[in-house]
Amino acid sequence: MLHSGFRHGIETSDFFLYREPVVYFVMDEGALRGLDPRANPQLQTRALQYFEQLKTSGDGWKLCAAAFTNGSYFGNDHVRFFCLQVIEHYLKVGYREAGIEEQQNVRNLICTCLQLLGNESNQDRSFLRNKVAQIASLAFVTDYPHRWPSFFTDLIGILSPSAKAVDIYLRVLLSIDSEVVDREIVHTYEEIQRNTVIKDAMREQSVVQLTETWYTILTQFQSSNPEVTCMCLDVIGKFVTWIDINLIANDKFVQVLLEFMSMPLLRESACDCIHDIINKGMEPVAKTKLIESFTSILQVRGIFNPQEEEEGDYLSKLSKLINGIGVNLIISWQKLQKSDDQANSQVTMAALEEKVPLMFRFLGDEDDDVSGAVIAFVQEYIGVLKQLKQLSPKHREHIEGLLYIVIKKMKYDDSYNFDHEGEEEAMFQEYKKQLKTIFTNLAALDTELMVVTIHNLVSQTLPRWEAMKVCDIEVAITMLYMLGEALPGSQSQQFNPDISKASPLQNMMRMLITSRVSCQGHMIVELQFFETVTRYEKFFLAEPQHIPDVLMAFTDERGFRHESAQVRSRTSYLFSRFIKGLKGQLNPYVEEVLSRVQDLLVLNTPDNGYQHLLSNEDQLFIYETVSSLIVSSSLSPERKHHLMKELLSPIASKFESLLNKLQVETDEKRQFAYAQSINMATSLASRVSKGFSSQQTMQACGCVETFTDLLKIFLQAVNVPTHRQLIQMGVRQYLHRMVVCLEKEILPFVPVVLENLLKQPEAKELHDFLPLMNQLIMKFKSAIVPFLQQVFMPLVSTIFQVLTTPTDDLDQVTAVEKKMLQRSYYLFLSTIISNDCLDVLKNQEMNNLHNLLVTIVQGAADIPDPQSQKMCYNIMRKLIETWGGNNGLVGFVDFMYKSFLPACFLGPMKPTFDLNDGQTSLALGECAHCLKSMVDKRGQEFLTYLSTDYLPKLNVPPENVQEFCEALKTDYKTFRTYLKNFFIKAKS
């Protein structure tokens, strides 16, 4: 029931009263001017500083409370919201520790604010009302039930017949729900415990009183103020999830809700409220009864049979309600099945089956939003059918009905904008994904029905496509495509050369090609055609006579030359997949395909003078595909060599021309355009090399000379100063491919690259080059040692030079590049040692080798980078295992004792060596390996040195020395754990 005025000891004249003397001061008007969105940045900064000042001041919130309530700033929303934010901060941060008088001040403030906003003449906007409601809820969660047990009595006492008063009352309840109940908000354990106490107290003390006010609001404002009524329904929907269901699901409330379902301004909110009631967690038998009681009345009243022209928003709400009914009945059925309650299980299943026609009605609605709202019900229902031991004829009817609806709803609307897909188009694509999932699940239930239905659709559509709408043609081809995903793997690619034994799928594929539907012209039909022929490439193994038609489609105006760039781009990719799947079948067509795509292979340069049909990315696919065609054909090596040279010669001639033009060009934009084209030329050649395989090598195809000649041409570009990184990146990419495809023919070219690289060394270029060296080492292993020995020290010296060159401390980019080069350097050394190339180090001059070993020690002990440290300890371990014995490298053992061993202690003892970090733990593991390797190689000698010389010099106590040596004798895992604890204690 609604009351007028304040009650329970709070007087209407009692605007915000302080209970203790305070120093009064006024708001900083200058700072407040910065709250205006039109204020200059200086004033806005001043306002922000003032905000922080008030938040940290003990009396700041009181000043803002007085400013908000005393009328000084009525009408100034910016200032009033600012005041509320300061108060909000106090309630979040300082209010919990407030004394009794302070608590009373806050309560007075809240009641005053609620009275102000409840005044019918109040014109405050929604964001202010919401903020006041939030402040009330913050005080509530701190004070209720212990410090402010009468909160709801006081809140209801403020209510009056005014719509504004009811509005702020409901906003407070919604804000309380957000703080206490809302499951989408993540709460701490303490907050969960607090919320449990609050809800228990509310159930015991206040909920009955609250529900009475809700009923009064619903009945008093349904005509005069629909907005308030809808807000009240929202409150009921949120609270019903945790209060006694009988307080709402009773004759009194249900009657009102049903009346609202026929009122245009209230029915959507009423629909949501009923949905929330039905969603309440309950025992399955009670839940079924609750649902049936609602649905029977709604059906009698014709609510579930809306007119076709009904508003979409309302239908979406109805669909959501049907979805909730269906999903909740399924949950109840599953629970009853689990508890083996067959009698009630059958009752619930019968109730569910009665709702299936409603599911069909809303799933098939023309509006995709209405249809989409019931999809969860559809998916769950299919899940139920999967659980049944045997499907009844009625169930099979349902499956067929669903299938026809899915096919209908998969069609594009006439309004769909294929050229400029926006938000609506993106939403439809998401909706189609859901339909696709339904389709796949239906296929699992009845594969035969699925095949027959799609076969009928395709047979009725493709032979007479010229008389059909685009959306009908597209959906038929799409269903044929989706059938491949829905069928079991063995059936989806089952094609027979004997046409008399062909499957329906094979017949559909033949129909797709022979119908000439690919000539329809619309981009979506063309795209779906190419997607489908690529999916079923094994069809062409059974019926290869259709290959020429598809190759023609790819290479003419239907594919690469289509007016739509989207079609051209997608077919470029699909063509590569199609060719790779049919390599053995394409021998008769290789040269014809090459001739048909010749003009598409022209390198796009700034001087072409016309817009190229294919983008650079598309061209990469075409080049790789053509190469794959040549390489995989049964042509002679001589013919393959000739065709490959024809393919690459235009790149070679264009490259040299572009390089000359770049070197004389002065315009920066054209310089960049030339550099991009040079990079593209090398990228195209790299992609061509991907056509070769371990069976069909460059050598076997007679193509080595073609690619090495091209490499000579490309290497002319590595010392070009303009756009050096972009050009070198392309050349490097080509070199990487040549390392894969060639044998020792590649080695003479590496020094040329290295020579140019070392002229003007940069950290990034060296970092990018070292992976190429690693690739060479891993491929050729010990065979590369003579070559590697020549280039090793010049390369290492250049790396040292770059790493030691002073740079600006503020230059973070260079610092990162140096760090990456450092890691690359250690990885380079590790690759040498791990691939039988240790002689490269062994044969260096003693001074050079010593300096090299010192860098490894520095990397382990001094560099605050766990990844580099890990590699350095790993390198040290491998060197110890190779040279640490009695027959190792002269002088190495002495270096090991004097440098490697100290590095194993100095590194982990550094403040930057975080023993709790994952990467650092890996580095410590390698350090432990290193120490274990020293024991394995030197035995008692090493332990004696540790115990009598090294550890005592580190001031390690004698008992710990003995303990350390004993731990070294254990297995690696045990020692690693010990070592971590050793350093933790040493650093504490």
Side-chain angles (χ1 to χ4, degrees):
M1 132 177 240
L2 299 184
H3 303 277
S4 175
F6 284 92
R7 293 174 59 207
H8 306 289
I10 304 172
E11 299 173 6
T12 54
S13 61
D14 201 9
F15 276 70
F16 185 70
L17 298 177
Y18 295 106
R19 300 289 180 163
E20 57 182 273
V22 296
V23 178
Y24 286 92
F25 58 98
V26 295
M27 301 286 277
D28 184 339
E29 296 295 334
L32 294 180
R33 280 197 293 273
L35 298 173
D36 191 322
R38 296 165 296 183
N40 62 47
Q42 291 80 9
L43 276 175
Q44 289 180 352
T45 301
R46 185 177 169 189
L48 189 61
Q49 291 170 345
Y50 186 48
F51 180 55
E52 294 301 320
Q53 177 190 336
L54 288 172
K55 284 200 304 183
T56 55
S57 166
D59 288 334
W61 76 272
K62 297 178 182 178
L63 174 66
C64 289
F68 184 84
T69 57
N70 65 15
S72 302
Y73 297 100
F74 283 3
N76 191 329
D77 292 343
H78 302 304
V79 173
R80 302 190 81 207
F81 190 73
F82 172 87
C83 292
L84 291 175
Q85 285 181 300
V86 174
I87 298 166
E88 176 191 13
H89 178 265
Y90 167 69
L91 284 165
K92 284 181 175 179
V93 175
Y95 181 55
R96 183 173 295 279
E97 310 304 324
I100 293 174
E101 289 194 26
E102 199 95 319
Q103 294 171 33
Q104 189 59 48
N105 283 340
V106 167
R107 290 170 206 162
N108 289 345
L109 167 65
I110 289 169
C111 292
T112 301
C113 289
L114 294 177
Q115 185 195 32
L116 285 172
L117 270 65
N119 191 307
E120 195 60 42
S121 62
N122 186 283
Q123 298 300 316
D124 283 326
R125 289 154 69 181
S126 287
F127 69 90
L128 285 174
R129 304 175 77 82
N130 286 338
K131 185 57 70 175
V132 168
Q134 186 186 3
I135 285 170
S137 69
L138 289 172
F140 167 78
V141 295
T142 305
D143 285 349
Y144 186 84
H146 305 299
R147 299 202 313 197
W148 193 355
S150 62
F151 178 88
F152 287 106
T153 309
D154 294 343
L155 179 66
I156 293 170
I158 296 168
L159 278 179
S160 70
S162 156
K164 288 287 175 65
V166 174
D167 174 275
I168 191 61
Y169 165 70
L170 293 172
R171 287 177 196 266
V172 171
L173 293 181
L174 288 172
S175 191
I176 286 173
D177 172 79
S178 294
E179 292 290 337
V180 178
V181 182
D182 195 335
R183 290 178 175 84
E184 292 184 9
I185 296 173
V186 178
H187 293 290
T188 64
Y189 175 76
E190 290 76 14
E191 287 172 339
I192 292 170
Q193 296 297 104
R194 175 202 71 187
N195 294 345
T196 301
V197 170
I198 288 173
K199 286 189 287 185
D200 287 344
M202 285 180 67
R203 289 189 191 100
E204 185 178 337
Q205 301 169 11
S206 310
V207 165
V208 173
Q209 195 178 10
L210 290 173
T211 56
E212 289 175 0
T213 66
W214 299 339
Y215 181 76
T216 303
I217 292 168
L218 293 180
T219 52
Q220 286 189 7
F221 290 92
Q222 57 180 286
S223 301
S224 61
N225 200 314
E227 284 186 19
V228 163
T229 308
C230 289
M231 194 187 301
C232 186
L233 289 168
D234 189 17
V235 170
I236 294 169
K238 291 184 183 306
F239 276 69
V240 79
T241 61
W242 59 275
I243 65 175
D244 181 359
I245 187 67
N246 294 310
L247 292 171
I248 303 298
N250 54 46
D251 291 342
K252 184 170 69 170
F253 268 98
V254 170
Q255 186 62 36
V256 172
L257 289 172
L258 293 173
E259 287 176 14
F260 288 177
M261 290 296 289
S262 59
M263 298 181 182
L265 295 178
L266 301 179
R267 61 187 182 177
E268 289 179 28
S269 293
C271 214
D272 278 340
C273 188
I274 295 172
H275 179 268
D276 290 332
I277 293 169
I278 285 170
N279 264 355
K280 180 177 174 60
M282 297 170 66
E283 288 300 310
V285 174
K287 173 62 73 73
T288 302
K289 288 179 180 177
L290 175 69
I291 290 173
E292 287 297 85
S293 66
F294 266 106
T295 52
S296 61
I297 301 171
L298 290 170
Q299 283 181 313
V300 167
R301 296 197 175 201
I303 301 296
F304 288 149
N305 297 305
Q307 299 298 315
E308 289 294 331
E309 63 276 8
E310 191 58 83
E311 288 180 8
D313 289 344
Y314 172 56
L315 287 180
S316 292
K317 295 291 186 181
L318 271 183
S319 185
K320 178 184 172 185
L321 177 56
I322 295 296
N323 187 73
I325 288 168
V327 169
N328 277 286
L329 283 172
I330 290 170
I331 292 170
S332 295
W333 177 79
Q334 288 169 335
K335 288 179 179 178
L336 292 165
Q337 284 285 100
K338 195 172 182 180
S339 63
D340 202 25
D341 185 345
Q342 293 303 318
N344 284 310
S345 176
Q346 289 174 8
V347 171
T348 303
M349 176 57 82
L352 173 63
E353 292 291 353
E354 286 176 4
K355 309 304 178 293
V356 171
L358 291 174
M359 177 182 76
F360 280 1
R361 152 69 182 93
F362 286 92
L363 180 68
D365 194 273
E366 284 189 12
D367 190 325
D368 293 339
D369 289 336
V370 176
S371 174
V374 81
I375 277 179
F377 181 11
V378 177
Q379 291 172 334
E380 293 296 329
Y381 180 67
I382 293 171
V384 168
L385 296 182
K386 286 181 178 180
Q387 294 176 53
L388 299 178
K389 293 177 181 177
Q390 189 172 1
L391 295 176
S392 67
K394 191 70 177 174
H395 289 144
R396 296 197 181 278
E397 282 182 29
H398 289 164
I399 293 169
E400 187 173 9
L402 282 172
L403 180 55
Y404 280 115
I405 292 173
V406 167
I407 293 171
K408 171 194 162 190
K409 293 299 297 177
M410 286 286 287
K411 292 181 184 179
Y412 286 97
D413 289 336
D414 293 338
S415 62
Y416 192 96
N417 191 334
F418 292 98
D419 297 319
H420 302 286
E421 292 182 321
E423 185 179 350
E424 286 189 13
E425 286 75 15
M427 288 170 64
F428 179 67
Q429 291 300 331
E430 285 301 312
Y431 170 68
K432 279 187 76 172
K433 288 178 184 177
Q434 294 177 306
L435 293 176
K436 185 179 175 183
T437 301
I438 294 173
F439 178 87
T440 304
N441 288 325
L442 288 171
L445 283 170
D446 195 333
T447 303
E448 185 180 345
L449 171 66
M450 184 70 60
V451 173
V452 169
T453 305
I454 302 304
H455 188 273
N456 289 340
L457 175 67
V458 170
S459 302
Q460 292 165 13
T461 305
L462 295 188
R464 51 194 193 92
W465 61 265
E466 290 171 288
M468 306 286 283
K469 293 173 66 177
V470 167
C471 61
D472 293 321
I473 302 168
E474 187 277 336
V475 83
I477 304 173
T478 296
M479 289 297 149
L480 172 55
Y481 175 90
M482 285 168 53
L483 195 58
E485 288 187 350
L487 290 175
S490 58
Q491 294 182 38
S492 65
Q493 292 285 5
Q494 215 173 53
F495 301 101
N496 198 316
D498 185 349
I499 292 180
S500 64
K501 298 177 182 177
S503 65
L505 181 58
Q506 186 167 337
N507 293 331
M508 285 186 269
M509 278 300 296
R510 190 183 316 110
M511 207 181 303
L512 175 69
I513 295 159
T514 58
S515 69
R516 305 283 293 165
V517 71
S518 60
C519 298
Q520 198 278 337
H522 194 284
M523 62 168 290
I524 196 62
V525 174
E526 307 295 4
L527 279 173
Q528 203 54 55
F529 170 82
F530 288 115
E531 295 281 358
T532 306
V533 296
T534 304
R535 165 170 281 287
Y536 299 112
E537 82 276 356
K538 288 185 181 176
F539 164 78
F540 299 96
L541 298 176
E543 300 189 30
Q545 66 270 26
H546 300 295
I547 291 176
D549 288 339
V550 176
L551 290 176
M552 183 69 75
F554 268 114
T555 55
D556 65 17
E557 288 74 15
R558 290 169 284 179
F560 302 154
R561 302 168 201 279
H562 196 279
E563 63 181 17
S564 164
Q566 187 180 341
V567 175
R568 298 197 299 269
S569 182
R570 185 62 182 167
T571 51
S572 301
Y573 164 71
L574 292 172
F575 186 57
S576 69
R577 279 181 48 193
F578 184 76
I579 295 299
K580 286 174 183 176
L582 295 172
K583 285 179 182 177
Q585 300 292 322
L586 299 172
N587 287 325
Y589 316 110
V590 173
E591 300 202 34
E592 183 186 348
V593 170
L594 287 175
S595 67
R596 290 188 62 79
V597 300
Q598 194 66 46
D599 61 316
L600 300 174
L601 300 174
V602 176
L603 182 64
N604 197 11
T605 72
D607 305 317
N608 275 2
Y610 66 91
Q611 183 64 40
H612 210 289
L613 273 174
L614 300 181
S615 70
N616 287 349
E617 189 63 33
D618 302 335
Q619 263 198 333
L620 289 170
F621 281 117
I622 299 295
Y623 265 86
E624 183 181 342
T625 306
V626 169
S627 171
S628 183
L629 264 175
I630 296 170
V631 171
S632 62
S633 71
S634 58
L635 297 170
S636 67
E638 292 76 20
R639 188 60 184 157
K640 287 181 181 179
H641 169 70
H642 174 75
L643 292 175
M644 196 65 77
K645 194 162 187 177
E646 276 192 347
L647 178 64
L648 293 172
S649 291
I651 291 179
S653 59
K654 283 270 188 176
F655 187 91
E656 293 187 288
S657 168
L658 288 165
L659 194 58
N660 291 331
K661 289 177 180 177
L662 172 64
Q663 290 171 318
V664 297
E665 182 61 60
T666 55
D667 181 76
E668 286 187 10
K669 285 186 178 179
R670 286 187 67 79
Q671 279 181 347
F672 182 59
Y674 282 128
Q676 282 183 309
S677 294
I678 290 169
N679 176 275
M680 184 60 189
T682 54
S683 297
L684 289 171
S686 297
R687 287 293 279 268
V688 169
S689 72
K690 288 193 171 186
F692 298 98
S693 65
S694 54
Q695 289 81 33
Q696 297 282 358
T697 63
M698 273 190 188
Q699 290 79 1
C701 296
C703 296
V704 170
E705 184 184 349
T706 303
F707 284 89
T708 52
D709 286 348
L710 200 55
L711 180 54
K712 291 173 188 173
I713 295 169
F714 288 165
L715 288 177
Q716 297 173 32
V718 294
N719 58 1
V720 174
T722 311
H723 296 290
R724 176 183 168 103
Q725 283 193 4
L726 178 61
I727 293 170
Q728 282 198 355
M729 180 174 67
V731 176
R732 233 180 7 254
Q733 179 190 30
Y734 185 75
L735 273 165
H736 278 293
R737 288 299 310 156
M738 292 305 99
V739 173
V740 172
C741 297
L742 297 172
E743 295 302 322
K744 291 186 179 179
E745 303 96 343
I746 185 66
L747 294 180
F749 296 99
V750 178
V752 180
V753 181
L754 193 58
E755 181 185 346
N756 284 285
L757 184 67
L758 303 185
K759 285 179 182 175
Q760 296 174 298
E762 292 182 9
K764 188 178 187 314
E765 289 182 8
L766 285 166
H767 165 68
D768 291 337
F769 174 75
L770 285 174
L772 179 66
M773 296 299 297
N774 294 342
Q775 188 185 12
L776 285 164
I777 294 165
M778 287 186 284
K779 177 165 183 172
F780 295 108
K781 299 192 184 301
S782 59
I784 202 176
V785 168
F787 158 76
L788 191 57
Q789 206 159 299
Q790 294 176 12
V791 301
F792 180 75
M793 274 318 294
L795 178 57
V796 169
S797 299
T798 306
I799 293 171
F800 288 166
Q801 177 189 333
V802 171
L803 289 176
T804 55
T805 301
T807 54
D808 189 340
D809 291 341
L810 299 176
D811 187 352
Q812 290 298 311
V813 174
T814 303
V816 169
E817 288 177 353
K818 283 190 173 185
K819 182 179 180 180
M820 298 307 294
L821 175 58
Q822 212 160 37
R823 285 185 191 171
S824 297
Y825 164 65
Y826 291 125
L827 182 58
F828 174 51
L829 295 182
S830 180
T831 305
I832 289 173
I833 294 167
S834 303
N835 288 275
D836 301 328
C837 296
L838 200 53
D839 283 351
V840 173
L841 304 186
K842 187 176 179 181
N843 295 334
Q844 296 301 320
E845 291 181 14
M846 192 56 68
N847 185 50
N848 287 340
L849 179 58
H850 179 271
N851 291 338
L852 191 75
L853 294 177
V854 168
T855 65
I856 297 166
V857 171
Q858 288 172 337
D862 298 330
I863 296 176
D865 174 25
Q867 289 188 41
S868 293
Q869 287 177 300
K870 174 177 171 271
M871 283 189 279
C872 289
Y873 284 125
N874 180 267
I875 294 166
M876 285 162 53
R877 175 173 65 84
K878 290 176 179 175
L879 291 175
I880 292 164
E881 290 170 353
T882 308
W883 293 341
N886 293 326
N887 299 317
L889 193 66
V890 176
F892 177 78
V893 173
D894 185 54
F895 187 88
M896 179 184 80
Y897 278 117
K898 289 182 178 177
S899 300
F900 280 10
L901 176 59
C904 291
F905 287 87
L906 289 171
M909 286 301 294
K910 286 282 169 64
T912 52
F913 198 92
D914 181 3
L915 291 163
N916 294 315
D917 175 69
Q919 286 291 333
T920 309
S921 291
L922 295 176
L924 185 66
E926 285 297 336
C927 176
H929 256 311
C930 208
L931 289 166
K932 287 288 289 179
S933 296
M934 293 183 202
V935 175
D936 293 342
K937 283 295 177 182
R938 306 308 302 178
Q940 188 58 45
E941 171 197 295
F942 177 68
L943 293 171
T944 302
Y945 176 74
L946 263 183
S947 59
T948 62
D949 192 333
Y950 187 71
L951 290 178
K953 284 180 180 176
L954 295 181
N955 296 320
V956 178
E959 62 274 15
N960 290 353
V961 169
Q962 185 61 32
E963 186 183 77
F964 192 95
C965 291
E966 289 299 322
L968 261 173
K969 297 176 187 177
T970 61
D971 63 275
Y972 163 70
K973 193 173 180 182
T974 304
F975 177 65
R976 184 184 62 188
T977 303
Y978 169 82
L979 191 65
K980 181 176 181 178
N981 292 327
F982 175 84
F983 284 120
I984 289 173
K985 289 176 184 175
K987 293 171 81 168
S988 61

